[in-house]
Amino acid sequence: MLLKRLLYCTSLTLFLFLAGSLEPTLFAALFGHFKPHLLLLLVIYASLYRTIPEGGFMSLLAGYFQDIFSGSPQGFYMLSFMLVFFTIKILSQAFYVPGKKLEVLSIFLGTLLATLYGLVILSIFTDHAAHFFVVFLRSALSALWNTLIGYFLFAGFHTFDLWVGKRDTKKVITGDARS
Amino acid sequence: MLKFLKEKRLIIIVVFLILLPLLFLSSGSKSRHEMAWYERVVYFLTNPIQKVITNSVEGAFHAFDYYINILDTKQKNQTLEKKVSSLLQELSQLRETQLENERLRLLLNFKQRVSPFMVPAQVIAKDISNEFETVQINKGSEDNVKINMAVVTPQGIVGRIIKVTSHYSTVLTVIDPASRIDAVIQRTRARGVISGIAGAHGVMEYVRRTEDVQEGDVVISSGLAGIYPKGLQIGTVYKIIKKPYGISQYVEIKPTVSFSKLEEVFIVMSLEPLPQKKEN
């Protein structure tokens, strides 16, 4: 049990570092301003399949990493990711039935929500200007990439969850979502 | 007390999860200048990986381009291809030499014009987000890089250093929303401050409405604040909105530096000119 927990924590940390290494380099070179967000995908997965304390902490950590690798004000992505986490968590408790279609929809909406919250936070806490239309257009294209990558990544996450005995995905998804 | 904590556990966690980022954000703890030890650890672990990935990606792109060229020639004529290929290779080498020659001459002129104390650096990573515009370069405090040093290319100003670790630094580019540079329109000497906009290039603020600004006007650094060398290109004016009221006009700028293709930059270590030799 302890070993599996250790493996789980190590994998999570490795994923954060991997995302932090891949997004600004490989993804930036391949997709430019429309690059997919691995860290945001982790937040969306956590909001669908983790409890509030665990998923919330994961989202906080993902936001912190995003803040480190970004020129954003400290706390910007932490807050934005937390808001995405809670929004999807609330929505999923009301409407989510585990399945690929809703998973994909959650990823798409989650990406757009992250941008929306980001712009709101930007306008409240900083004097930074933003070209809303362009930012949203980029976000929509980025959401498409996220959806495509998320489709496969989430399948990997499910398998990993079962492998580390984190939880019986199907059982807990239903339990978490409905409880 | 314990009972209360247990009962309200979830609410306390939710409040904590929301308050912590808010605390970070409102305290303005991004003093972009200071870097906490845990941030340094993250950079220390990821920067070398980023460097390797960037080099590999660039190598793969070049190899792919080369492969496409070869494939295209192959389709035309199998026999002729070998000859053409070798000739192309020679030509490519010659062109490369010529380009290198031109580049070096340009750099030499550039160095003489801007500052003799410049250090070249390679861009190893871009900003992780799509809203902000910072880049990572492979020079740090070990190379005497310090915060607020200007980063330039022969095309113009890239930005300034905002974070430094031993071997890597973070550059706040002129198109980042947090960037501010004092600038002048080269033709009319109209003053303003250039700031980045998330999702767009940049805007020149505080330009008086009465000032003569036209599309295509070149915008250069004023040299105020002592960070950027005076007279370096920042961009060109490509959109002006002048309303019949107000004290300033809206001027959008297109940067001269192509940030999406940024590979090599120069760090200006000092703005002071070389000491003149005394004649006997």
Side-chain angles (χ1 to χ4, degrees):
Chain A
M1 187 67 184
L2 186 73
L3 195 72
K4 281 184 176 174
R5 269 194 187 174
L6 196 72
L7 185 67
Y8 175 68
C9 291
T10 314
S11 306
L12 183 67
T13 315
L14 275 178
F15 181 83
L16 291 171
F17 275 101
L18 192 74
S21 303
L22 282 179
E23 281 186 41
T25 52
L26 183 68
F27 288 179
L30 290 176
F31 305 102
H33 273 114
F34 317 114
K35 58 182 174 288
H37 281 305
L38 292 179
L39 292 172
L40 183 60
L41 286 173
L42 184 74
V43 173
I44 296 167
Y45 185 81
S47 61
L48 291 175
Y49 303 118
R50 291 289 187 272
T51 56
I52 288 179
E54 191 188 340
F57 182 71
M58 278 166 75
S59 305
L60 205 67
L61 213 59
Y64 183 73
F65 262 71
Q66 181 89 0
D67 276 335
I68 286 183
F69 290 112
S70 161
S72 63
Q74 191 70 55
F76 177 85
Y77 282 105
M78 279 167 100
L79 185 60
S80 158
F81 282 7
M82 283 318 303
L83 293 174
V84 171
F85 171 77
F86 281 118
T87 310
I88 296 182
K89 192 81 197 160
I90 291 165
L91 287 174
S92 71
Q93 295 211 338
F95 305 110
Y96 190 68
V97 181
K100 280 285 171 197
K101 280 179 190 170
L102 281 180
E103 221 171 49
V104 161
L105 185 69
S106 304
I107 296 170
F108 192 80
L109 281 178
T111 312
L112 293 183
L113 273 175
T115 309
L116 182 71
Y117 286 139
L119 288 174
V120 172
I121 298 166
L122 206 66
S123 60
I124 293 175
F125 287 93
T126 68
D127 60 345
H128 300 171
H131 204 300
F132 293 92
F133 177 71
V134 179
V135 171
F136 240 91
L137 192 72
R138 279 180 189 174
S139 170
L141 289 166
S142 178
L144 288 176
W145 285 119
N146 270 0
T147 311
L148 187 71
I149 290 177
Y151 183 84
F152 297 104
L153 196 68
F154 276 26
F157 282 163
H158 287 311
T159 315
F160 180 75
D161 273 359
L162 290 171
W163 187 56
V164 290
K166 180 67 195 158
R167 54 191 67 203
D168 182 330
T169 315
K170 274 186 184 168
K171 268 186 199 171
V172 180
I173 289 166
T174 324
D176 256 8
R178 296 292 169 204
S179 61
Chain B
M1 183 66 181
L2 270 174
K3 196 184 168 192
F4 173 80
L5 285 176
K6 269 187 183 173
E7 276 175 5
K8 306 287 180 191
R9 184 174 158 261
L10 194 65
I11 297 172
I12 293 168
I13 288 171
V14 171
V15 170
F16 169 77
L17 287 173
I18 295 286
L19 273 186
L20 189 71
L22 270 174
L23 205 71
F24 266 108
L25 204 55
S26 56
S27 67
S29 72
K30 190 148 215 170
S31 56
R32 287 167 179 262
H33 304 221
E34 291 159 24
M35 215 192 258
W37 65 269
Y38 39 84
E39 268 186 275
R40 283 177 188 276
V41 170
V42 174
Y43 274 112
F44 176 76
L45 290 173
T46 48
N47 280 153
I49 305 169
Q50 288 177 335
K51 193 179 170 185
V52 170
I53 295 173
T54 302
N55 286 341
S56 313
V57 169
E58 276 171 15
F61 277 144
H62 289 153
F64 184 71
D65 283 347
Y66 181 73
Y67 175 73
I68 291 292
N69 283 336
I70 294 294
L71 202 69
D72 190 42
T73 321
K74 227 176 197 175
Q75 282 169 350
K76 287 177 186 168
N77 196 307
Q78 281 270 335
T79 334
L80 211 63
E81 190 208 63
K82 281 178 188 171
K83 260 187 188 176
V84 174
S85 175
S86 67
L87 283 171
L88 273 177
Q89 207 162 356
E90 265 181 48
L91 189 68
S92 161
Q93 275 173 351
L94 281 171
R95 263 189 203 155
E96 199 59 36
T97 318
Q98 193 188 346
L99 282 173
E100 195 182 2
N101 202 350
E102 278 171 20
R103 213 183 89 224
L104 287 173
R105 197 180 301 146
L106 198 75
L107 290 181
L108 193 68
N109 286 340
F110 177 62
K111 212 168 173 176
Q112 279 167 352
R113 191 160 48 90
V114 180
S115 165
F117 308 104
M118 293 205 298
V119 173
Q122 192 200 351
V123 174
I124 58 157
K126 305 263 167 74
D127 200 296
I128 196 169
S129 69
N130 289 335
E131 290 85 17
F132 298 91
E133 302 283 350
T134 55
V135 292
Q136 302 273 321
I137 54 172
N138 68 343
K139 288 283 188 296
S141 54
E142 296 276 302
D143 309 284
N144 293 322
V145 173
K146 292 187 182 91
I147 282 166
N148 275 337
M149 280 180 170
V151 178
V152 296
T153 67
Q155 284 76 43
I157 292 178
V158 174
R160 66 183 168 89
I161 306 279
I162 53 163
K163 280 181 192 171
V164 183
T165 60
S166 53
H167 294 100
Y168 303 94
S169 308
T170 306
V171 181
L172 179 81
T173 64
V174 292
I175 53 170
D176 186 281
S179 166
R180 303 282 185 274
I181 303 180
D182 196 82
V184 290
I185 305 272
Q186 197 174 38
R187 186 175 57 84
T188 59
R189 315 311 288 180
R191 291 196 96 88
V193 175
I194 291 188
S195 57
I197 308 178
H201 297 304
V203 64
M204 193 166 177
E205 296 174 301
Y206 314 115
V207 182
R208 280 191 205 156
R209 197 163 55 85
T210 48
E211 294 282 6
D212 172 27
V213 184
Q214 286 170 15
E215 279 181 30
D217 272 351
V218 175
V219 182
I220 56 170
S221 55
S222 71
L224 282 183
I227 294 176
Y228 300 101
K230 189 180 176 182
L232 264 192
Q233 272 202 33
I234 301 171
T236 49
V237 176
Y238 84 100
K239 190 179 175 186
I240 307 159
I241 300 174
K242 203 184 267 190
K243 290 179 182 166
Y245 52 86
I247 52 169
S248 58
Q249 52 186 312
Y250 180 85
V251 181
E252 246 179 68
I253 307 292
K254 191 178 182 184
T256 39
V257 175
S258 175
F259 287 95
S260 57
K261 294 172 188 166
L262 202 60
E263 286 180 22
E264 282 166 348
V265 294
F266 287 93
I267 307 163
V268 182
M269 308 300 278
S270 169
L271 291 176
E272 285 167 28
L274 272 176
Q276 300 267 326
K277 280 181 187 172
K278 283 181 184 173
E279 285 176 22
N280 291 324

